[in-house]
Amino acid sequence: MSSLNIPMPREQLERIVRQIIWQQITVPLEAPGGATESAYTPNLVVNISARHLHMSKEHLEILFGPGAELTVYRWLYQPGEFASEQLVTVMGPNRKAIESVRILGPLRKFTQLELSATDSFALGITPPVRPSGQIEGTPGCLIVGPKGVVELRQGVIRAERHVHMSTADAQVYGFTDGQYIRLKVNSDCPAVFEHIFCRVHPTFLLEVHLDTDEGNACNLVNATSVELLP
Ligand SMILES: [Zn+2]
């Protein structure tokens, strides 16, 4: 899925370093007749989601020209999701700007900018913490592309920390879709994150998404182990 024959840019190296694959919970699955036939062991991955945009087709064409498409820069851990090669500048009030913000694909119905708290200070915007997709009443921003400008009326959020998991993962842990759980990160800055939103879907891979501030706060890059807790 993620084997693109392109040179590994610095960003990707950092991403791989940040990716903490860990947790071994082995739950024997009972075969008919009582014999233990196989075991399913979820691999918990905790990744930092740096600032990024999701985008509508309409906005993409304004920013990059009619007929513009997102092209794959790097596949992400969740199947079908990718970081695109398309970069834009986002601007808050008073012309405070952040350059080279990456658009994630595939395209969505609505445009959404996800920032860390530190990013939002730099832009002079105060976005609320929201689950992805819930953008009603959130602040907007200006998006500047090579071919045009979009004045986004709403859609700037600080993404609510969450975990993606398959139905099988949820069964192993005993969690359900929509439940809030906790994440423990063991490092030299250990932390327990409360209020991690569980998103269960058959095609999801087990992955926690924290933002840059959250990842830095617990020194996730140098974590020795991570653990999901009820
Ligand atoms: Zn996510």
Side-chain angles (χ1 to χ4, degrees):
M1 180 191 73
S2 56
S3 58
L4 282 184
N5 288 322
I6 52 172
M8 193 176 281
R10 182 178 176 79
E11 183 184 326
Q12 188 173 355
L13 285 171
E14 287 173 354
R15 176 101 184 178
I16 289 168
V17 171
R18 283 176 175 181
Q19 186 169 297
I20 313 292
I21 297 185
W22 165 86
Q23 189 159 10
Q24 311 289 328
I25 298 180
T26 301
V27 176
L29 299 178
E30 292 268 315
T36 299
E37 198 171 60
S38 59
Y40 174 60
T41 306
N43 270 324
L44 177 61
V45 173
V46 180
N47 270 322
I48 296 171
S49 273
R51 69 181 85 98
H52 63 270
L53 277 153
H54 298 283
M55 190 154 290
S56 68
K57 176 86 180 146
E58 180 201 347
H59 286 163
L60 184 74
E61 293 197 346
I62 294 172
L63 295 167
F64 289 88
E69 305 269 5
L70 290 178
T71 50
V72 176
Y73 169 72
R74 180 172 54 77
W75 291 101
L76 300 177
Y77 190 63
Q78 293 300 322
E81 303 278 317
F82 62 93
S84 81
E85 294 178 309
Q86 283 66 39
L87 303 172
V88 293
T89 295
V90 295
M91 209 176 275
N94 310 318
R95 304 191 72 78
K96 288 180 168 179
I98 300 177
E99 292 180 355
S100 302
V101 178
R102 203 170 285 283
I103 302 170
L104 301 192
L107 291 170
R108 292 198 182 176
K109 259 190 154 153
F110 301 104
T111 299
Q112 173 176 295
L113 172 61
E114 298 184 28
L115 300 176
S116 70
T118 303
D119 295 330
S120 68
F121 301 147
L123 271 191
I125 296 176
T126 314
V129 176
R130 289 284 180 87
S132 187
Q134 292 187 18
I135 57 169
E136 200 55 43
T138 59
C141 69
L142 209 63
I143 307 173
V144 183
K147 296 280 172 65
V149 174
V150 167
E151 197 175 329
L152 193 67
R153 300 231 170 116
Q154 61 178 16
V156 183
I157 64 166
R158 185 176 154 185
E160 180 178 69
R161 55 185 71 142
H162 59 275
V163 57
H164 299 260
M165 59 174 68
S166 70
T167 320
D169 296 323
Q171 257 171 16
V172 169
Y173 282 102
F175 298 151
T176 54
D177 186 50
Q179 183 181 353
Y180 284 101
I181 59 167
R182 295 181 298 152
L183 170 73
K184 188 174 184 200
V185 178
N186 296 309
S187 68
D188 52 356
C189 305
V192 176
F193 290 93
E194 307 271 344
H195 216 67
I196 304 261
F197 187 62
C198 254
R199 299 175 62 185
V200 181
H201 189 273
T203 65
F204 279 165
L205 296 178
L206 183 60
E207 181 188 28
V208 175
H209 280 153
L210 300 178
D211 72 20
T212 314
D213 290 346
E214 292 165 336
N216 288 341
C218 64
N219 196 7
L220 182 67
V221 178
N222 297 307
T224 50
S225 66
V226 288
E227 193 177 349
L228 291 180
L229 307 167

